[in-house]
């Protein structure tokens, strides 16, 4: 089937949805964090069981994420014996129609691994940092 898009509407004959534009942008802008400036969405440890995600922009599947100020995310308390790796992600929630920075808590282990990224019909995640939490 042939498709064309983004022509002016005459008497309401052209209606476009957000996913039409996302599909268009996804054809030439790939998933990831904008490279300039180099601090875009940089994750910095604060030394108090929180991290700061700096301001920046990213794209996920044609949709734009923009954080215009420092965002502080809490990190859960460490275990007394085992280590853990948490992953900071940008999560596109297709049902909630939003993208946000989240902490994915890892599992306690003697040799921990970062949690897997979710990439299915419900969500698509970009990993922007792994945080090692020592016992």
């Amino acid at each position: 089937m042939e498709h064309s898009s983004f022509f002016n509407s005459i008497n309401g004959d052209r209606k476009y949805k957000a996913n039409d534009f996302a599909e268009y942008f996804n054809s030439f802008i790939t998933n990831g964090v904008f490279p300039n400036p180099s601090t875009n969405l940089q994750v910095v440890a604060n030394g108090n069981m929180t991290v700061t995600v700096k301001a920046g922009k990213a794209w996920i599947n044609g949709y734009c994420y923009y954080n215009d100020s420092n965002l502080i995310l809490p990190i859960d308390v460490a275990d007394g014996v085992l280590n853990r790796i948490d992953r900071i992600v940008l999560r596109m929630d297709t049902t909630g129609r939003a993208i946000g920075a989240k902490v994915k808590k890892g599992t306690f282990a003697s040799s921990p691994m970062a949690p897997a990224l979710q990439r299915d019909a419900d969500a698509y995640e970009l990993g922007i940092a792994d945080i090692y939490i020592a016992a």
Side-chain angles (χ1 to χ4, degrees):
M1 174 185 280
E2 293 183 311
H3 295 272
S4 59
S5 55
F6 311 128
F7 291 94
N8 291 334
S9 177
I10 299 173
N11 299 321
D13 68 338
R14 300 283 192 265
K15 295 184 190 213
Y16 300 104
K17 296 182 180 181
N19 65 324
D20 295 324
F21 289 97
E23 184 177 311
Y24 166 74
F25 288 124
N26 199 34
S27 67
F28 59 87
I29 299 175
T30 60
N31 290 343
V33 175
F34 280 41
N36 292 315
S38 62
T39 58
N40 262 343
L41 302 178
Q42 181 180 26
V43 178
V44 179
N46 296 325
N48 62 355
M49 297 306 287
T50 66
V51 296
T52 297
V53 179
K54 293 192 173 191
K57 295 180 182 179
W59 285 90
I60 299 178
N61 296 339
Y63 294 88
C64 186
Y65 169 79
Y66 178 55
N67 175 31
D68 64 1
S69 61
N70 287 346
L71 175 65
I72 297 174
L73 299 175
I75 303 296
D76 282 355
V77 178
D79 185 63
V81 178
L82 299 172
N83 305 315
R84 183 180 84 231
I85 297 176
D86 290 353
R87 181 166 272 172
I88 310 301
V89 300
L90 294 181
R91 183 175 197 274
M92 182 176 80
D93 179 349
T94 54
T95 304
R97 297 173 296 147
I99 300 172
K102 309 283 183 216
V103 177
K104 287 190 78 162
K105 185 177 176 181
T107 303
F108 294 113
S110 55
S111 297
M113 295 177 59
L117 296 172
Q118 182 178 350
R119 292 183 173 173
D120 55 30
D122 297 325
Y124 192 100
E125 295 175 335
L126 291 179
I128 58 172
D130 289 344
I131 310 296
Y132 183 80
I133 295 98

